[in-house]
């Protein structure tokens, strides 16, 4: 009898959850407690696309507001970034808890953002509809820590072609 009740409950919950639609996948997190202050500071570096030879400067200002449990990240990507020219600096925001910082929301340049930074500094996420849809998808992986940022991002263009680029910066 108990087995039948449990089986019925599992089936009903599976049906209910499957009818709720697709949720944005959450990358695995390390489980290491997050200390966002170890990432704070001013970073300088460059982005490069080895496939096309395109490159440009990159600066980041990572500011922590512990009282609000928020982080502001001001990005300035120079050169012909993503083939879209030299965009103006943009500030995006993250909230954080004891284990992850999450950048979510919409930005006129970066589009729909869903990025996670875990306690070990692993960065995983995506930006959809970048530059008003001129770039349908950008996916990021990488790491921040010890005063260094090292990421790889895959750019998906309209029509599905992709290219891989790197972003590397050091805290100054």
């Amino acid at each position: 009898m108990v087995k039948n009740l449990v089986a019925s409950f599992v089936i009903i919950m599976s049906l209910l959850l499957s009818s709720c639609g697709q949720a944005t996948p959450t990358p695995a997190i390390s489980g290491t407690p997050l200390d966002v202050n170890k990432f704070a500071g001013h970073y300088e570096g460059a982005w490069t696309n080895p496939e096309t030879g395109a490159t440009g400067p990159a600066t980041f200002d990572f500011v922590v507001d512990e009282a609000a449990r928020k982080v502001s990240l001001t990005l300035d990507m120079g050169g012909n970034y993503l083939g879209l020219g030299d965009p103006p600096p943009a500030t995006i925001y993250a909230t954080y808890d004891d284990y992850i910082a999450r950048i979510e929301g919409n930005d006129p340049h970066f589009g729909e953002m869903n990025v996670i930074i875990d306690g070990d500094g692993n960065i995983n996420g995506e930006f959809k509809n970048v530059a008003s849809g001129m770039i349908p998808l950008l996916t990021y992986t990488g790491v921040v820590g010890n005063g260094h940022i090292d990421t790889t991002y895959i750019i998906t263009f309209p029509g599905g072609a992709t290219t891989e680029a790197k972003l590397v910066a050091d805290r100054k």
Side-chain angles (χ1 to χ4, degrees):
M1 170 104 175
V2 171
K3 284 184 183 179
N4 289 340
L5 287 173
V6 170
S8 297
F9 178 76
V10 169
I11 291 169
I12 290 169
M13 289 306 293
S14 296
L15 291 171
L16 286 173
L17 291 173
S18 66
S19 69
C20 292
Q22 298 271 346
T24 302
T26 300
I29 59 172
S30 67
T32 301
L34 177 67
D35 176 7
V36 293
N37 287 305
K38 71 180 181 181
F39 307 134
H42 175 76
Y43 293 79
E44 296 178 6
W47 61 268
T48 57
N49 181 329
E51 208 170 294
T52 65
T55 189
T59 62
F60 303 91
D61 288 299
F62 194 100
V63 179
V64 176
D65 178 347
E66 288 186 73
R69 295 185 69 94
K70 290 187 178 180
V71 173
S72 66
L73 181 59
T74 301
L75 313 159
D76 190 0
M77 309 299 273
N80 190 17
Y81 186 64
L82 300 175
L84 303 171
D86 185 356
T91 301
I92 57 178
Y93 300 92
T95 56
Y96 66 91
D97 61 25
D98 293 337
Y99 294 95
I100 64 168
R102 181 183 292 272
I103 301 167
E104 285 184 305
N106 223 318
D107 176 83
H109 182 72
F110 290 104
E112 302 161 33
M113 303 172 290
N114 185 17
V115 179
I116 289 176
I117 302 171
D118 71 15
D120 288 332
N122 297 309
I123 304 167
N124 288 289
E126 63 185 19
F127 295 81
K128 293 180 182 176
N129 300 313
V130 175
S132 301
M134 292 180 70
I135 306 286
L137 181 64
L138 248 127
T139 56
Y140 273 86
T141 58
V143 68
V144 58
N146 299 320
H148 185 74
I149 297 171
D150 189 346
T151 63
T152 299
Y153 53 105
I154 308 293
I155 305 157
T156 303
F157 297 102
T162 62
T163 189
E164 183 175 293
K166 296 279 294 167
L167 174 69
V168 177
D170 290 305
R171 186 170 38 217
K172 299 295 176 177

